[in-house]
Amino acid sequence: MRYNHKEIEEKWQKSWDDGNTFKVGNDGKNPKYYVLDMFPYPSGKGLHVGHPKGYVGSDIVSRYKRMRGFDVLHPMGWDAFGLPAERQSHKEGIHPSIVTTRNIETFRKQLQKIGLSYDWDREISTCDEKYYKWTQWIFLKLFERGLAYQAEVAVNWCPALGTVLANEEVKDGVYIETGDPVEKRLMKQWMLKITAYADRLIDDLKLVDWPESVKEMQRNWIGRSEGARVKFEIADTGHNFEVFTTRPDTLFGCTYAVLAPEHPIVRKITTEAQKADVEAYIDRTMKLSEKDRLVHETEKTGVFTGAYAVCPVNNKKVELWIADYVLTSYGTGAVFACPAHDERDHEFAKKFNLPIIEVVKGGENVQEIPYTEDGEHVNSEFLDGLNIVDAKTKIISWLSENNFGKSEINYRLRDWLFSRQRYWGEPIPVIITEDNKVKAVSEKELPITLPYLEDFSATSDGQPPLARAPEWVATIDPETGKPALRETNTMPQWAGSCWYYLRFIDPHNENEAWSPEAEKRWGSVDLYIGGTEHATLHLLYARFWHKVLYDLGVVSSPEPFTKLFNQGMIIARSYKDSRGKYYYPYEVDEKDGQWYSKLSNELLETRLEKMSKSRYNVVTPDEIIEEYGADSLRLYEMFIGPLEDTAIWQTENIQGVRRFLDRTWRLFFNDNGFVETTDTIEDVEFDKLLHKTIKKVTEDIESIHLNTAISQLMILVNEATKFKPIPKEALSVLARLISPFAPHISEEFWSVLGNETSITYAKWPEYDPAKTLDDQVNVAVQVNGKLRHLIDIPRDSVQEYAEKIAKESNKVNMHLEGKTIVKVIFVKNKLLNFVVK
Ligand code: ANZ
């Protein structure tokens, strides 16, 4: 009997499907474990092998946890609303609902073929009205609490797409998805007050088990900085301005002050003599993006206003400038400058010949380089002698006593711009009444369904696509019976993914978003696996909504995702000619380690790049499954390296894991069917290896080190091939240990061992700790704490024996010679340290 992956995989996938093997109810009695994948946006391109890496990882954990007796919630769904679907529709001339349904079909089929143990009964799609009814419901809750509001704001307007974008979607002045330029415009928009949760979003990071890098990215994004707001008078003008500073302790070192060019008082205080220069400078600045203004490398520019600011601590008059390095959107849009202790101020002072006064000791020569570290304050009257922390406390109380300022915390985080002028999104459930009031629709009216539009482009007068449905827009205010209009903006694509993990716990509930019982049963997500690209977008938005829901009392935990794991990307070789044209692998030839085009013989540039269709380096799971099987695909995806690392895809290496499965198969089957077995394990060493393997695989799955778990299974299989007949117990253990990784073939093993139910709920093997210990151990020998040698001695050897063996070694002896041993420290099975004089 040969290993026929196709037959086996089809058979078991059908059996799982027919038997509802992975279905989990809400009334189970076992402890719960909720494993979630970041659900995909079903793009038109389908999945490549890079996508399921995380899904396979989470599936292994899910299958393992089931065998450990947990009720495992492991669902899948679709992040189906959003701009990409709408763009694909425009391109193909097909309605987004059709495009989306079609893409979902493709994705589902692809995922099912991998043998992922999802409870498909819980499948959800964010564009389904039964789902977005509750997205709208959450919006109403935000609105009731004053957390959703409208404001005239400077927005990121993308002319090419005809919509505004969130700050998080824009980088370096372009939309991150398409590279289309984005400009600033003033528009009335829906905003969500995420800033009200800034502190909790930072503080509660300590409650979660997340990669430190992601936590740090969130902290930086929120950008909490503690400092003070200080008032400066402007001499002889009757005007004043406020600055935000994180270093009020350096006020005695203030030698000039700077306003953002857009600051409202600039034109009022500029002197006649400086007017022309100031106007020219303002004009110039307006043309720059925020990003360009912040770049540190660019040379500092600025213009003197002719006015003087009065430094409140010593009444000194300092020049008041405008410069584009001060942004209007942060703090107060004005700063005082202390060039001795701030890099930007220093550069500016040097360029424009402004004075530099040292107020913190410790630098070499602050005239030449700024000193930004801690030190004793000087030239600062009552602050002299203090360090930064103490000086800050003292100056802040002095400022408030004298009415010059107070302590203040500033955040980089801005409120979340929540409306989009797009079609394929959730309608915002509000109406605008005849007297221009914005009213929430009542919960009973939900969902406000998206009208079907053939033409879903923006209107010619620049209104959002929903304005093309006048019958839908025109409505009645139920309170007054008078005509009203529906909101034509829609929600951004992040809305649906803000709470989908909660809908999975009770996906068919028609009366509530989820029931309190379901929430109690499944609580927050125990393990969340996904890519790092969501660090400051989805993961921040979802935490914000969750906290609002927590305050509403509808969820019982302050954080949605207890543990987060980021899988690494899969990259692959791409081939490109000098004109930038990419080639498929079958269009190239290798000669002496170089790659040439088969057509033109041109030497090609090869590179390891992120897999993508546009780079012609995509491998699909379907082609791999066809040739090698889903179990080989799964094993290879995990064996390729640590799950969190970037990995290089090399299809030729799949042979290796496939051969491993073939070898394992032959442990169970020969030409006549099931092999001959013995009832006991006679070989002591093999028995130990079996127990060590159980321990290693168990611990590796718990800590998500899945590649090393597979290595250990390979060692076990190699040893096992030496036993004919083979102990049946070894086969039983092996089948169960491999099953989370290669579930289809393991079902086959399990059934030939005489079991009639799925291996999914077989009991995970236990190991005997005594059998996992080696008889020999390595003990580190140190002299005065320095490692000199490792000795291999029987486990539990006493100190005397360890000393005797250690002293027989030259490596130890040469450090003891001519010295006196004053003390010996011995830690059994670990360490022997000679303390010598
Ligand atoms: C005086 C000073 C002296 C400062 C010193 C620093 C060092 P973070 O940590 O990012 O909050 N600043 C304030 N508002 C600004 C704006 N709108 N545009 C550009 N810069 C601005 O940084 C706060 C510091 O950045 C503030 O502290 C201010 O410079 C500057 F030795 O005030 B500082």
Side-chain angles (χ1 to χ4, degrees), residues 225 244-247 250 325-327 330-331 333-336 338 341-342 344-345 412:
S225 56
F244 170 70
T245 175
T246 46
R247 294 291 306 275
T250 63
Y325 81 87
V326 177
L327 303 174
Y330 188 65
V335 305
F336 84 79
C338 176
H341 305 290
D342 181 80
R344 284 182 306 181
D345 296 348
R412 255 172 220 288

Side-chain angles (χ1 to χ4, degrees), residues 36 56 68 299 310 328 345 418 482 493 616 740 772 793 827:
L36 184 64
V56 172
R68 293 304 298 252
E299 214 182 322
V310 183
T328 32
D345 296 348
F418 194 68
K482 289 187 178 160
Q493 100 204 61
Y616 287 29
T772 64
I793 55 174
V827 184

Side-chain angles (χ1 to χ4, degrees), residues 15 135 154 288 350-351 370 414 467 495 604 621 766 775 778 803:
S15 157
T135 312
L288 292 177
K350 276 292 194 199
K351 175 153 182 205
R414 295 280 158 261
L604 303 174
E766 306 262 350
D775 295 332
N778 275 329
E803 274 191 43

